[in-house]
Amino acid sequence: MTNETDEAPLSTTAERQIVVGAAGQTPGKDWVIVTRGLKREYDMGGEIVRALRGVNLAVRRNEYVAIMGPSGSGKSTLMNLIGCLDTPNEGEYWLNGQLVSSMKDDDLARVRNKEIGFVFQTFNLLPRASALHNVELPLVYAGISSAERKERAFEALKSVKLGDRVHHRPNELSGGQRQRVAIARALVNRPSILLADEPTGNLDSATSEEIMNVFESLADTGQTVIMVTHEPDIAAHARRVVVLRDGLIASDDRRERFAAKMGGGH
Amino acid sequence: MPFFEAVRLALATIRVQKLKSFFTALGVCIGVMFLIAVVSIVDGMGRYMEEDLVGKLIAVNSFELRHRPNINIGDVDDATWREYARRGRILESDVQPVVDALPAGTRWSMYSEASLMVESQYSRPRRAQITAVGGEYFEIKRLDVTAGRLFTPGEISQGSSVVVIGPDLMKRLFPTVDALGRQVKIGGKFYTVVGIGESQGSAFGMSFDNYVYAPFRSPVHRLLNAQSNAIDAVVVQTEAAEALVEAQESVRAVMRGRHQLRPSQKDDFSLQTADTALEFWNKIRGYLVLAGVALPAFGLVVGAIVIMNIMLVAVAERTHEIGIRKALGAKRRDIMIQFLIEASTLSTFGAALGIAAGAGLALLIREVSPMPTYVAPWSIGVGVLIGAGVGILSGVYPASRASLLDPVVALRQE
């Protein structure tokens, strides 16, 4: 862990050239995410909005990265691309050694199921299903048998200290508990990356701190975590902070440098 | 998504939205209900026609030579009636030549019948169906006695004054005493009761058990036909169904010869089989089944449209849920199947209600009217299949819309 945080962030080093390499070449196996010249444009009623204008980003396995930026910087677009919910107009995206940028719908669904655990700002739990069933869902789509699903979902809920809340519905749980259910759901299929989109956006500061602690300990156990946020305080929890501005990476710093830049840090 | 998971989910949705689900499935329910009811009525009448009515009047693998058909189900036009009225009767003298033409092993019996008054000293006179029969009549009709005996060959050939009476008639004529060995009076002459025949049941509330059988040559014969040398019919029964047509053709040839018909002339007698009697019924049944299927079909189309609309609403309402499921790895197929199964579960639920209601209606009709309805097991199977089929058809469009949703757009929708 220390090893990683001591390294200079990739987008600013010469090493990036080696990692990213030539287009079409498979990145090394240590790199869970490698993007090359990622572009995404939207047609908003005739007007072309260039949300991403060529993003090169490489994330090593076990890293804890925050992607920051003001609204309109393209961070949501980047999150959708990293999360395989959307595909770029141009550029390559390698996730865990697979070129996902040119995949079709159903292959993307399979990759999302296997490689990515989502944690959303609004939790996105199914309101009519119990905590257990919500956590089971990714395993349902992975085609895992009911008995094993129940067992693994229960284990995942226990790991976020909700072993006594498995049969509660989301509306019977507090915000922090809901987000922990979402984290359990994100982790239940053992994804390559945990992808969180403003995970504390709907939580008070005490609960936010609690969720950040969960992320911290996950990162400590070697889980790759990528968190999209517009709050510097939250971003400062990550060990590497990538700042987007106008669809491009504006800075890519280790936590300490980012904190110094922000003026004193947290 | 596994099949049972999807069914469970769909049932949960129905449970949560009971009233909405009921109204959604109402169209299918009514369609299936009428389908089951109409099919039950048609089927019940068909069975009744084939097994009871015609089966009792005409035995298996048999035909009857008559001067005109005695079972006319449906319309017979005036010209046909006039032609029937001009026909000459079948004569006793026709019987031997006809019988000679039949293949060996064929059973036959001549008979005449009429409805006459019968008396006993224990009761007032009763009306009964009197039939004078030949030797093999009981075998052909598969009729046996429950007490006493059938006629002996001697009684048949001598025309003894003995009778076999039906159970209902027995109860009426001999309410308090054993009928066997006692006498009944028909047309002023006495006959000894030697046997009590089996029950032949009833149809449309009419008992078939008010019967009297006597040997053909017994004195009763003279009461049955004004023309003394005429008979009502010769019934012919072949061993196997395949031989029936051949036997008919032999009889036809003999009778045409005896009536000196030219090849251009039509038969002036009839060879009546169960099939010819059922022909008209089969025609009617075709129309009934058509109507019975076409009318509920409209209900089902309306039901399908309702389900499709409700499913489109469900897809719109649950866009966010679809987004979540897609984000967690649901493929197009998974979403498609989920909504298809939901639509067909809803529709099968309606069909199940319809089957219950339709079967109930059929039973009710059987109880309160003389219509002999019969709920065929296959119609229940068809009802379930229709339910599932309508659901799948009406679910295809909404389900494919759901499956094609862009996950990013779907997740954004609240």
Side-chain angles (χ1 to χ4, degrees), chain A residues 80 85-86 105-106 109-110 112-113 116 118 120 122 124-126 128 133-134 137-138 140-141 149 185, chain B residues 1-2 5 8 13 318 320-321 324-332 334 338 406-408 411 414:
Chain A
N80 288 340
L85 292 165
D86 196 8
D105 268 22
D106 279 356
R110 188 177 44 75
R112 286 196 294 270
N113 182 253
I116 296 165
F118 287 99
F120 299 95
T122 53
N124 282 349
L125 300 174
L126 296 186
R128 285 190 282 125
H133 187 70
N134 267 292
L137 267 185
V140 168
Y141 294 118
R149 261 174 10 220
R185 180 179 67 183
Chain B
M1 157 142 17
E5 186 69 28
R8 202 186 57 76
T13 310
R318 279 149 60 187
H320 188 68
E321 177 194 318
I324 295 172
R325 289 179 181 277
K326 285 204 150 190
L328 299 180
K331 298 188 184 66
R332 283 183 179 175
D334 295 317
Q338 181 188 336
D406 179 345
V408 174
L411 274 173
E414 283 302 320

Side-chain angles (χ1 to χ4, degrees), chain A residues 29-105:
Chain A
K29 65 177 170 54
D30 287 346
W31 304 93
V32 66
I33 289 174
V34 172
T35 76
R36 292 167 179 151
L38 221 48
K39 289 185 184 173
R40 184 70 172 94
E41 293 170 353
Y42 297 104
D43 187 347
M44 307 294 269
E47 195 190 339
I48 304 294
V49 176
R50 300 172 69 193
L52 290 182
R53 299 190 293 161
V55 170
N56 298 313
L57 178 70
V59 176
R60 206 189 273 273
R61 207 174 295 283
N62 306 346
E63 270 193 285
Y64 181 7
V65 185
I67 296 173
M68 249 200 73
S71 64
S73 61
K75 64 181 190 306
S76 290
T77 304
L78 183 58
M79 195 216 82
N80 288 340
L81 290 181
I82 290 174
C84 297
L85 292 165
D86 196 8
T87 48
N89 298 101
E90 247 181 76
E92 284 179 6
Y93 169 27
W94 295 83
L95 172 62
N96 213 11
Q98 306 169 80
L99 183 63
V100 294
S101 46
S102 57
M103 281 185 180
K104 296 286 172 226
D105 268 22

Side-chain angles (χ1 to χ4, degrees), chain A residues 166-221:
Chain A
V166 288
H167 297 303
H168 288 57
R169 290 190 180 184
N171 61 5
E172 298 162 335
L173 298 170
S174 71
Q177 287 172 331
R178 286 184 216 184
Q179 197 58 300
R180 280 192 280 147
V181 172
I183 292 169
R185 180 179 67 183
L187 295 173
V188 74
N189 211 14
R190 299 171 196 128
S192 304
I193 55 175
L194 180 73
L195 185 58
D197 180 18
E198 303 278 8
T200 60
N202 279 23
L203 301 174
D204 60 43
S205 49
T207 317
S208 295
E209 204 57 39
E210 174 194 321
I211 295 298
M212 282 303 105
N213 289 338
V214 174
F215 278 29
E216 188 79 37
S217 56
L218 284 171
D220 284 343
T221 60

Side-chain angles (χ1 to χ4, degrees), chain B residues 36-37 40-41 355-369 371-375:
Chain B
I36 298 279
S40 299
I41 290 170
I355 289 168
L361 195 60
L363 291 180
L364 188 72
I365 289 172
R366 183 158 70 191
E367 287 306 312
V368 303
S369 80
M371 208 103 77
T373 62
Y374 172 76
V375 182

